[in-house]
Amino acid sequence: AQKITQTQPGMFVQEKEAVTLDCTYDTSDPSYGLFWYKQPSSGEMIFLIYQGSYDQQNATEGRYSLNFQKARKSANLVISASQLGDSAMYFCAMREPNTGTASKLTFGTGTRLQVTL
Amino acid sequence: GAVVSQHPSRVICKSGTSVKIECRSLDFQATTMFWYRQFPKQSLMLMATSNEGSKATYEQGVEKDKFLINHASLTLSTLTVTSAHPEDSSFYICSASTPNRNEKLFFGSGTQLSVL
């Protein structure tokens, strides 16, 4: 069985500072994918970053980077130079083992990030 | 990039009526789409996997007769909430996968359903 854990229900960060959102996962499958999504108050789910279990390097996408520690089963999201527009819910998700052309995601409970002036 | 369109964004209906929600992949063919449900301040819970040309696969505890899913083409999946009741009020969101299975899932903008 898979499990995604986000232990921070809410986080505050000052504008222009960096923030780390925690995510740990549990799976017995060697092949998996980890995702981070941003959900603003409008409800849409915005893809931020992806890390494959076999990727040698940590994923980066602009101001977003994923601190992937496989042995610890953690995939923390780091947002650098926070902006007011980063205020939103952030979800960590794991893709189940590939079963064809697409795989479903299991989501964590989310972290609400509030960026302050 | 790939885009998924979901309509309507918001619907209010009377108890007992049925509501149809559409999910379209705009610039790619999606053989598989997923339907999620999200209660306020909670995470997304997978309801079902929609497969083009075949029956949907429902998650445990999801009523097949209540939530009808049709995936008639490679770009369109629909979720129909039949005989809606107030407890069905929720945020419903679909997603579709690009052909490269190792890549990201794209989500629609979601539908807020309110049943009076």
Side-chain angles (χ1 to χ4, degrees):
Chain A
Q2 290 191 66
K3 186 178 179 181
I4 297 285
T5 304
Q6 293 181 256
T7 58
Q8 307 154 313
M11 289 282 288
F12 285 89
V13 64
Q14 207 162 16
E15 194 181 20
K16 300 179 184 177
E17 297 294 314
V19 63
T20 298
L21 306 184
D22 295 341
C23 173
T24 58
Y25 59 92
D26 185 24
T27 180
S28 56
D29 199 288
S31 177
Y32 52 89
L34 297 159
F35 299 75
W36 277 93
Y37 284 86
K38 171 185 178 181
Q39 186 180 43
S41 57
S42 58
E44 60 188 306
M45 294 288 284
I46 302 169
F47 168 80
L48 296 179
I49 198 165
Y50 166 82
Q51 180 85 45
S53 60
Y54 294 120
D55 292 345
Q56 295 296 313
Q57 294 186 331
N58 287 347
T60 60
E61 292 278 357
R63 293 187 298 112
Y64 305 107
S65 61
L66 200 150
N67 184 1
F68 182 45
Q69 298 190 36
K70 199 170 182 177
R72 295 184 177 182
K73 293 188 175 180
S74 73
N76 299 340
L77 175 70
V78 180
I79 305 174
S80 62
S82 297
Q83 303 172 356
L84 294 178
D86 294 335
S87 295
M89 279 291 288
Y90 288 80
F91 290 98
C92 179
M94 176 185 287
R95 185 192 68 218
E96 292 193 7
N98 293 331
T99 55
T101 58
S103 304
K104 55 188 178 184
L105 297 183
T106 301
F107 285 84
T109 51
T111 297
R112 180 166 295 280
L113 177 67
Q114 186 69 45
V115 181
T116 61
L117 292 171
Chain B
V3 177
V4 174
S5 173
Q6 185 173 344
H7 293 281
S9 58
R10 181 177 293 272
V11 59
I12 302 172
C13 69
K14 292 182 179 180
S15 185
T17 60
S18 294
V19 175
K20 180 184 284 188
I21 303 170
E22 291 188 349
C23 181
R24 293 179 184 273
S25 57
L26 296 184
D27 58 359
F28 66 97
Q29 294 182 332
T31 54
T32 304
M33 292 185 177
F34 303 94
W35 288 96
Y36 291 85
R37 182 174 184 176
Q38 185 180 28
F39 289 106
K41 301 185 187 301
Q42 294 189 25
S43 187
L44 280 71
M45 299 300 295
L46 181 66
M47 297 175 65
T49 302
S50 172
N51 303 298
E52 188 269 334
S54 64
K55 292 183 179 180
T57 304
Y58 290 82
E59 295 300 302
Q60 192 172 11
V62 177
E63 298 178 59
K64 300 178 182 180
D65 296 332
K66 162 68 87 174
F67 300 101
L68 299 179
I69 291 173
N70 184 285
H71 195 152
S73 77
L74 286 171
T75 59
L76 174 64
S77 175
T78 61
L79 168 67
T80 300
V81 183
T82 62
S83 186
H85 287 91
E87 57 265 30
D88 298 325
S89 298
S90 186
F91 187 69
Y92 295 88
I93 191 165
C94 68
S95 71
S97 175
T98 55
N100 180 346
R101 66 183 185 185
N102 292 321
E103 292 298 322
K104 50 224 170 195
L105 281 175
F106 291 93
F107 283 81
S109 53
T111 298
Q112 182 64 52
L113 172 63
S114 298
V115 185
L116 304 178

